[in-house]
Amino acid sequence: MALLRSLLNLFSSVRLGITLMVLIFLYSAVGSAGLPVHWNLLRPDAWLPLREAFDLSEFRWFNWWPFALLIGLFCVNLSVTTIRRIPFNRINLGVWMIHSGLITLSVGSVWYFGVKVEGDTLVHRRALSVSWGGESQTIAAVPGKRVSLRTADGRKADVRVAAIDPEATLEDGTRSVKVSLVARVDGKDMLREMQAGFPESSQDFIPSADTTGWSPVDGVAVDGFETTLDFAPEPYFYLMESRAVYLREVQADGTRGPWVERPIRNLPMFTDRLNERSRVWPEGGANASAQKKMSAIGLSAMHDNDPLPDIRMQVTDTLRYALPEVRRTDGGPAVDPTATVELSRTDDSDVRSFDLRALDPAARSALDGALEMRWVLDESEIDSMLQVRSGGLVVDGVSYPLTPGTQAPFGSGTLTLQSVSDDLVVGGERISVAVVGLQQGENEWVRWIFDDPTLTRDLDAQGQPIEGGLRQADIVTEYRPGSESSVRLVAGPGEEDLRLLIPGEDGGLVQDVRSGSWVDLGAGLQLRVVRYALRSQAERRPLVIPQDQRDRDVGFLASTVRVTCPEGVIRRRGLKDPWLLYHLYAFDGEVDLPRRYRFEPSELVMNDGRRFELLYSRRRMKMPASVVLDDFEVRSRIGGFTGETSSIRDWTSQLRFVKAGGGVSDPYRVHMNNPAEHQGLWYFQSQWDPPDPARREDEVDSLGLNHTVLGVANRKGVYVQLLGTILTVIGLAYAFYVKPVIKRRRLEVAKAAAGGQA
């Protein structure tokens, strides 16, 4: 009893209540804003996000046990204090309502956050289906998307989405999406314009007679070529602050199965965790990352359709902000010399670094050829390199400059020097070649002119060898590789040989540079070799970006995890690479990939030869009903959309939901601060698809509005929170306005009674 009495006295303490309220306020302030680290609190970097040091997001911070404990203690203190210290009567009714409202609000908040599910989903506006010769394929209607179909008898249909007008109107003013397709079907060129929801409005065009435009045709341009525009249902939404690895099998014919999720539980997301520094490149923030380690997180199969149910994988490391980078490292199976050299002025601390690869013509030189690296097979080649001699290209007795891109008259046509490659090592022999395009009348071909005339060959315009070797043997060609006065880093012929050659009229200079010391080049320049590998190999590792160089707007897009599988090897782009890049969504591939979104899955090759793909993203949850985007509207401020978000007044997504028995629901309009509810989930307007100009020659412009991004969440417990808030507000009004009136009237009655007695 004494212990119970002590506890009751403790939780009846007003001081304890005030202390708990102060702690809750401080906890909330630190979790929401952070700790101030600068006197100017309006600066973006004035607040240190302390919760990230504990690897907690804002949502997790307010679901962490310390906050739950503080709220629980506060509710107990409030309940005990109210019952023991505040009599229940008309005077104290407001206080009881305030305290009851706060407790109700706390209970509702625990319910709300305890079962809260929140995420987002990307919904395409339309899907394009193409059918030809018994084959069909469906892709997202996105400008620039391509479809290629090939029938069993070899006929082809190549289709490209040339343009999309997201705000087109029909003659009667009805809004629609207009999609323009450019296709080559069975050797015939055509253009088709389609209106979403109005297939009868489709129009085909064929090239005009003068080939400068398109002419409309009645009916269809190619029989059997069918295209349709329909909704693109999205069944999943992706959970915030969750991570997963997706797995799918790749068949021998290239077909892929569905993605199967394996969740990554308790993965640190705000801090780097690196168990071995050798797994990343040593520069940047690698030292800071190596300070924290993590225990491996198992990736076990949890779905019946997992293609590798008995194979266990692990996440061993995670990096918050790192970029993949390919470099050459030592340890390769064959001779492939590479070096990193530094060049600087003798009176300046500024140093420039260059990576050179001797056997790669595209990577063996720098500074426009003034610095290059070579591999020699014999010591006699050193003497040849020290001599400065000019090269030459001679065709039918006429000399041409050795400048790629040079075009000059040749007979009745033209000669174009396409490229020059010297000192290529092929089959243990060193060869040099000049590739020349020749045109005589209507005939065009390419001649590969070697320094060894017996190797010279002609290719036709399609790159195929010409029978007999030469199209016109009477055209006499000769190529002599030159030796320029560039500084050369020469490896070989011995495995330990690495020398610097400076050609000159007086025999030049040769100096060993394996020691890494600076070598004086004259003219105030010096050079040294900081890394050399004789048998190099390409290796990809993450480069950790230092904290002060990270862009907060990038978010988690630069995060990566390292995954291991004992029964296989993980590769990406042909290189062994266990680091998986983060993806916002687990797209199926190019068929449904929006513009400017990443899709770079890694490949898992099992020891038995089976192939799978891995993709690092967020966990996903199936919605009660798939959602489709019927229409999307943008209302801009005066002056129209300027490219800045501030010029937009509102975005509106008109949604429909797929019914279980087929068809879609009536439309729901979702825009800023106006969500819509369907079967227990609320849908919010989160992001949109802005206009996107082409950035490469093979791209087309996009007017945007091809998809929407919706926030998806449940809101259980909100009405309990609302009830608690209402009780608190009514209690405050009662305490500040009704209670004084009651007390004043009681005082007046008491005074009147006292006056009557007098």
Side-chain angles (χ1 to χ4, degrees), residues 685-758:
Q685 185 60 51
S686 177
Q687 300 175 40
W688 70 303
D689 177 31
D692 182 30
R695 305 180 193 181
R696 301 194 308 263
E697 291 185 359
D698 59 341
E699 290 187 341
V700 297
D701 293 336
S702 171
L703 298 177
L705 312 189
N706 300 303
H707 68 258
T708 186
V709 178
L710 303 171
V712 184
N714 61 7
R715 303 181 71 179
K716 296 180 180 180
V718 170
Y719 293 111
V720 177
Q721 292 176 310
L722 181 61
L723 175 61
T725 303
I726 292 173
L727 284 174
T728 302
V729 172
I730 294 176
L732 287 170
Y734 190 97
F736 282 100
Y737 297 102
V738 178
K739 180 178 178 178
V741 173
I742 295 175
K743 293 180 69 175
R744 185 171 62 251
R745 288 181 178 178
R746 286 187 176 182
L747 181 60
E748 291 174 352
V749 170
K751 287 182 178 180
Q757 292 177 358

Side-chain angles (χ1 to χ4, degrees), residues 65-193:
W65 67 264
F67 187 68
L69 178 62
L70 288 174
I71 294 296
L73 292 175
F74 176 73
C75 289
V76 172
N77 173 255
L78 200 60
S79 301
V80 174
T81 301
T82 303
I83 294 173
R84 297 190 70 192
R85 287 177 171 268
I86 306 175
F88 184 73
N89 51 41
R90 287 178 59 195
I91 292 292
N92 298 323
L93 183 59
V95 177
W96 274 75
M97 293 178 67
I98 293 172
H99 291 186
S100 300
L102 291 175
I103 294 173
T104 304
L105 178 61
S106 299
V107 172
S109 298
V110 170
W111 183 16
Y112 176 83
F113 287 105
V115 299
K116 185 174 179 60
V117 175
E118 184 177 8
D120 57 80
T121 184
L122 187 148
V123 186
H124 287 284
R125 194 167 181 179
R126 289 296 183 272
L128 170 67
S129 297
V130 181
S131 299
W132 163 249
E135 301 292 329
S136 63
Q137 187 174 346
T138 301
I139 62 172
V142 177
K145 285 288 183 190
R146 297 175 183 269
V147 175
S148 293
L149 299 177
R150 184 184 295 272
T151 64
D153 56 2
R155 294 182 299 161
K156 287 185 61 178
D158 295 319
V159 185
R160 179 170 64 93
V161 181
I164 296 180
D165 184 353
E167 298 180 296
T169 56
L170 301 177
E171 293 182 357
D172 60 359
T174 304
R175 282 174 54 90
S176 178
V177 180
K178 180 180 177 181
V179 179
S180 299
L181 308 177
V182 174
R184 184 174 181 83
V185 184
D186 202 16
K188 300 177 182 178
D189 293 326
M190 61 168 290
L191 182 147
R192 176 170 292 177
E193 293 182 348

Side-chain angles (χ1 to χ4, degrees), residues 46-66:
W47 297 88
L48 177 67
L50 182 64
R51 53 182 167 78
E52 293 187 5
F54 295 92
D55 211 79
L56 295 172
S57 64
E58 186 173 6
F59 178 76
R60 290 185 178 181
W61 177 266
F62 289 104
N63 270 296
W64 202 18
W65 67 264

